[in-house]
Amino acid sequence: MSAPLAATEWFRRMLFIRRFEETLLEMFSKGLLVGTTHTCIGQEADAVGVIDHLEPGRDVVVSNHRCHGHYIAFTDDPSGLMAEVMGRVGGTCAGRGGSQHLCRDGFYTNGVQGSIVPLASGMALAERERGGGGAVTVFIGDGTLGQGAVYECMNMAALWSLPLLIVVENNQYAQTTPVEIAVAGSIPDRARAFGITAVELDGRDAPAIHAAAGELLSTVRTGAPAVLVIDTYRLRAHSKGDDVRDPAEVAARERTDALAVVSQQLEPAERERIMAEVESALADCVATAEASPIAVGSAA
Amino acid sequence: MSSLRCGAALNRGLTEAMAADERVYLLGEDVLDPYGGAFKISTGISDRWPDRVISTPISEASLVGIAAGMAIQGYRPVLEIMFGDFITLGFDQIVNGISKFREMYNDQVRLPLVVRTPMGGRRGYGPTHSQSLEKFLIGVPNITVVATSEIHDLGAMMRAAVEDDEPVFLVENKVMYGRPNRRPESGRLDGFSVRESDGPYPALTLSASGFSAGTATIATYGGTVPLAIDAATELIMEHEVFCEIVVLGSLLPLDLDPVLESVERTGALIVAEEGTMTAGIGAEIAARVQEAAWDDLRAPVRRVAAADGIIPSAPGLEDAMLPSVPELVDAALRCEAARV
Ligand SMILES: Cc1ncc(C[n+]2csc(CCOP(=O)(O)OP(=O)(O)O)c2C)c(N)n1
Ligand SMILES: [Mg+2]
């Protein structure tokens, strides 16, 4: 279990993800990118807080369409992701996957809601058999709780003592569907029905995410699957421009999200210094990606 | 000639595969001994390797994905789907996962897994336990679909599937399980000369006229193979009409060469399968053969398949729905009539 992160470190890691995705949205709006993207703007603390306890080579992360934050936190390869979204040969999957189909060093994503939970469970079964103490962490959203495979896997994870952590990022919406009209009852109780330990917390409290994830993962590694429900909020559209929420509701959350909270804890000079460092790292990342040739196929 | 039944031959192959590589795991419903799976193909395996056999809940939609996850992480899972009809529940994992991962992730992963399942009717199990759904699998790029038959070396085929580094869907047949696994001896079987192609999932070509000219080629696979042999035998005995039979092993990728070679000799093609006709495997073979061998064909390709409908339970209704020996004989006689 990793030691708590200093506020400066929270700020640096979350800000990089934030600025990376804001850059993507800018590039989309300028017509520089094609396809789609789903930003985790407002939810960065989930990625940073959980994944700080994970190590490439030992652990596996399986994620969904909203995966950039997870990818950056786990792989330390933002330029590979940038190049992938740009359709460059230097991308994580050489341009074949795009934003929501990533693969690198034990990090996998796929774009069909719910389907990643069985995949992650199989990987956790492999991990259990290998006995290397690794854990598999799978991230899903509140909307994905509508998929039956999630519960098939909770059942098997409990029965088979899988080293599996399911992180539910409840950002209150599935595309445009509010959680109230899609998810009945209590989310953690769904897991508890299978005898799985479940913790729910407020995602604006970044250190709480870190502490809870660390604790859960230490038991997950011994074969006790767990569910971590993080109540959070996405500050931008579902993908690029599809937002039907009340702007006042979004604005209120903008002032209180985990990045805003951490930012307020920093001395202004320190904040400025980190912001400058992040901008320079991001510029490097974009430049590296842009230097990679555009992927082209040969006709079938 | 070995009198091992097909089910036992598959079981032997699976047992050998388990013994050969400790990364091989068996998963499925009711696969534990003493039951050993609904059709006993997994018999004796959990007794020998209790730690590598996992009896699962009834969760096909997830199990196919679980096999994928294990495979990506270096294991070689063999998943038994109790009835082929239930493969539909796993289709998301097949179409959006298993078949995509290697290419979509730019070759960074491999999925050495086997999904094996019995298809086919003629046992009165009714509409949801009798289908031949392999035609849906051949529409999925990047997977291998293998059709076992009673004249294949079933043990070798099973081992090859488990040793394959790519995902293999092994189509078995419920009636086949109880029949003897007959193999050609010195290139002969049931009065036919037999040629077997190379590779892990070979095609067998049968000819009663020493591979000289004939009336038609019957391209078929799986549970329809004994019908084709019966039909070809009847055609010789009662009509002096000689057909070749190509028994396919690999349905995807489709192994077309043996079919084309045979059609070059016979000049006509009948495709026969137990699945429903529309958009079937025969349709794909017909399309490819007319494109590649138009000049060899003297008659339209004929399809013999199940009628487009349900497979009823009552034997008299089921028989009427499924392809039959008389239909094959009739198709061949029409090809004969088209000869000048
Ligand atoms: C099986 C499936 N159905 C529908 C979609 C389209 N889709 C993509 S994201 C999304 C909403 C997902 O909501 P949630 O799980 O809450 O995740 P969030 O987007 O909020 O992070 C939908 C409906 C999909 N990708 N997969
Ligand atoms: Mg959501």
Side-chain angles (χ1 to χ4, degrees), chain B residues 23-260:
Chain B
R23 295 171 301 173
V24 179
Y25 277 60
L26 174 62
L27 291 87
E29 294 155 17
D30 304 291
V31 292
L32 294 184
D33 290 314
Y35 191 64
F39 293 93
K40 312 290 173 212
I41 310 304
S42 300
T43 293
I45 295 180
S46 74
D47 275 350
R48 239 176 114 179
W49 296 284
D51 296 340
R52 287 197 277 138
V53 180
I54 300 173
S55 179
T56 73
I58 306 165
S59 301
E60 289 85 358
S62 293
L63 290 170
V64 179
I66 284 174
M70 286 188 86
I72 289 179
Q73 295 301 320
Y75 287 85
R76 290 179 170 269
V78 177
L79 173 63
E80 172 171 315
I81 302 281
M82 190 186 281
F83 283 79
D85 309 72
F86 314 148
I87 195 103
T88 53
L89 289 141
F91 250 79
D92 170 51
Q93 294 291 342
I94 298 169
V95 173
N96 290 314
I98 287 171
S99 71
K100 294 212 175 11
F101 288 133
R102 180 174 173 183
E103 191 176 348
M104 163 168 114
Y105 292 157
N106 195 32
D107 237 13
Q108 296 179 82
V109 298
R110 289 287 184 285
L111 285 98
L113 63 86
V114 175
V115 176
R116 39 162 301 270
T117 194
M119 299 281 188
R122 305 186 201 280
R123 294 192 45 158
Y125 290 160
T128 65
H129 288 63
S130 306
Q131 298 166 93
S132 296
L133 299 182
E134 52 275 7
K135 70 174 177 183
F136 295 105
L137 291 168
I138 73 157
V140 184
N142 292 345
I143 62 172
T144 300
V145 181
V146 174
T148 57
S149 83
E150 64 185 56
I151 66 169
H152 275 100
D153 182 344
L154 290 174
M157 229 170 182
M158 175 70 82
R159 285 197 310 279
V162 179
E163 285 163 15
D164 203 313
D165 286 334
E166 303 300 326
V168 176
F169 291 77
L170 197 68
V171 178
E172 301 167 8
N173 179 276
K174 296 180 201 94
V175 174
M176 178 189 87
Y177 287 145
R179 293 171 63 98
N181 187 189
R182 303 173 309 128
R183 291 286 296 150
E185 280 177 17
S186 315
R188 309 276 306 166
L189 180 82
D190 288 354
F192 293 89
S193 308
V194 183
R195 288 178 182 163
E196 189 158 355
S197 66
D198 295 330
Y201 317 115
L204 289 90
T205 305
L206 282 64
S207 167
S209 58
F211 299 102
S212 63
T215 291
T217 298
I218 302 173
T220 190
Y221 65 90
T224 310
V225 170
L227 277 75
I229 292 176
D230 286 353
T233 307
E234 183 180 320
L235 283 159
I236 298 165
M237 303 301 225
E238 295 179 18
H239 305 279
E240 281 187 53
V241 162
F242 290 82
C243 288
E244 292 192 8
I245 303 169
V246 178
V247 176
L248 294 166
S250 177
L251 300 181
L252 186 72
L254 194 54
D255 189 5
L256 211 59
D257 286 348
V259 180
L260 292 174

Side-chain angles (χ1 to χ4, degrees), chain A residues 47 51 61 63-64 66-74 107 139 169:
Chain A
I51 292 173
V61 175
S63 176
N64 54 66
R66 207 172 297 291
C67 56
H68 302 161
H70 309 141
Y71 183 89
I72 292 168
F74 189 66
F107 185 96
F139 289 89
E169 293 184 83

